[in-house]
Amino acid sequence: LLIQRRSGNRIGFWNLMDLSLVGLFFNTLVPGGIAGDFIRGHRARQYHLKGREAFASVIIDRLLGFLGLMVLSTAGAILCWSTASTFEWQKFLICLYILGIAGAVALISPPVSGWIHHYAPRSNALVSKSLKLYDAIAAYPRHREFWTAFVLSLITGGMLIGTIILLSMAFEISVPPIYLIWLVPTVGILSTLPISLSGWGIREAGYVFFLEQIGVPTAQGLVLSVSFGGIVLFMGALGGIWYFSSTLFPKINKILTPASAERFGLPNRQA
């Protein structure tokens, strides 16, 4: 939706699917879960978007994802406040998320935008380019698609929570669903720290630690996290298959001679 808005609806469904699947693959492959965002921004430029517009759409997409997770986690923590009263970390996270939501909203608000433009040294080339990127980002909330994408981010976060709830039921792990409403988004945010592949290790530590607070054994918390990680890897593998079949193989085939293509068992366009 965000890219379609900036491209004047020139991007087809399968091209958007390409951006999503390739981004998912690299997010799974590279530590931090954000490498795919840069890949998507780079690939989006082939659809006649300026560099700052392409990367602005990716940044906004990531920002909306974080906002959706923070809103869901805050709502879940408030709903199970009785648990929060015995778990000090949860109170801290609620305050942190509220500050994060307020900060993100304030950053793209007109007053803050005007202040940034007034005091930023435009004579600096890097600052000038950064301001153009910032302007492209700040312009998104004025469009209906921005709010549609925000609602979709909430739905996506709800699907993640639902997946964990179903996994806990499948493994007969007793976890109050309302507790998972804040736990799953919180672990999801922590998993984006650029210190592990696809959140492995961070996600397991998060689930084990937070579930232990309500009496869930370590082994069960680990099983729940690893099972969810397996689903993430499967989705990333689908993105990898798409990437290799749609991007790498055609490039390899293009430079192969007919004889070498036949030797490797690849279809040859030159034949």
Side-chain angles (χ1 to χ4, degrees):
L1 285 171
L2 296 172
I3 294 177
Q4 285 279 45
R5 177 73 190 187
R6 283 297 181 179
S7 65
N9 295 322
R10 292 190 300 268
I11 306 178
F13 171 79
W14 291 110
N15 298 125
L16 291 174
M17 181 68 73
D18 172 74
L19 292 175
S20 299
L21 289 176
V22 172
L24 179 63
F25 169 61
F26 281 98
N27 278 343
T28 305
L29 185 67
V30 180
I34 59 175
D37 295 350
F38 293 100
I39 299 297
R40 279 193 294 140
H42 175 72
R43 290 172 75 89
R45 297 180 64 181
Q46 66 184 322
Y47 302 119
H48 310 291
L49 271 73
K50 295 180 180 179
R52 63 175 178 272
E53 293 177 342
F55 283 101
S57 68
V58 171
I59 293 172
I60 281 291
D61 178 58
R62 174 62 66 168
L63 178 63
L64 286 174
F66 277 127
L67 284 177
L69 291 177
M70 287 190 288
V71 168
L72 287 172
S73 186
T74 302
I78 293 174
L79 289 173
C80 60
W81 187 256
S82 59
T83 304
S85 63
T86 59
F87 184 32
E88 295 299 327
W89 270 96
Q90 193 170 348
K91 296 179 181 179
F92 170 77
L93 289 173
I94 292 174
C95 295
L96 186 63
Y97 289 155
I98 292 175
L99 288 175
I101 295 170
V105 172
L107 187 62
I108 56 178
S109 65
V112 175
S113 178
W115 182 86
I116 291 175
H117 278 277
H118 180 73
Y119 290 101
R122 290 180 174 274
S123 57
N124 185 287
L126 180 59
V127 172
S128 179
K129 291 182 179 180
S130 298
L131 283 176
K132 291 180 180 179
L133 177 61
Y134 171 75
D135 289 339
I137 294 172
Y140 273 101
R142 296 197 291 266
H143 301 296
R144 182 182 61 186
E145 287 81 2
F146 174 88
W147 301 104
T148 303
F150 175 66
V151 172
L152 290 176
S153 73
L154 294 176
I155 294 174
T156 302
M159 292 174 65
L160 293 176
I161 295 170
T163 300
I164 293 295
I165 291 175
L166 291 176
L167 286 174
S168 66
M169 294 172 61
F171 291 107
E172 299 183 348
I173 301 174
S174 180
V175 184
I178 197 171
Y179 188 78
L180 293 174
I181 294 177
W182 78 265
L183 187 154
V184 175
T186 295
V187 176
I189 293 173
L190 293 175
S191 297
T192 61
L193 294 174
I195 56 177
S196 72
L197 288 173
S198 192
W200 286 100
I202 299 176
R203 181 174 53 246
E204 283 64 48
Y207 276 106
V208 168
F209 174 75
F210 289 125
L211 290 176
E212 280 184 344
Q213 309 305 313
I214 57 172
V216 176
T218 299
Q220 291 186 343
L222 191 60
V223 166
L224 191 62
S225 177
V226 171
S227 300
F228 182 74
I231 295 175
V232 173
L233 282 180
F234 175 75
M235 297 301 296
L238 292 180
I241 293 172
W242 176 280
Y243 174 68
F244 283 108
S245 62
S246 66
T247 304
L248 290 187
F249 288 162
K251 289 183 177 180
I252 294 173
N253 188 38
K254 188 176 180 179
I255 63 175
L256 284 175
T257 64
S260 58
E262 183 179 355
R263 184 189 315 154
F264 288 106
L266 296 173
N268 180 42
R269 295 178 181 175
Q270 303 175 21

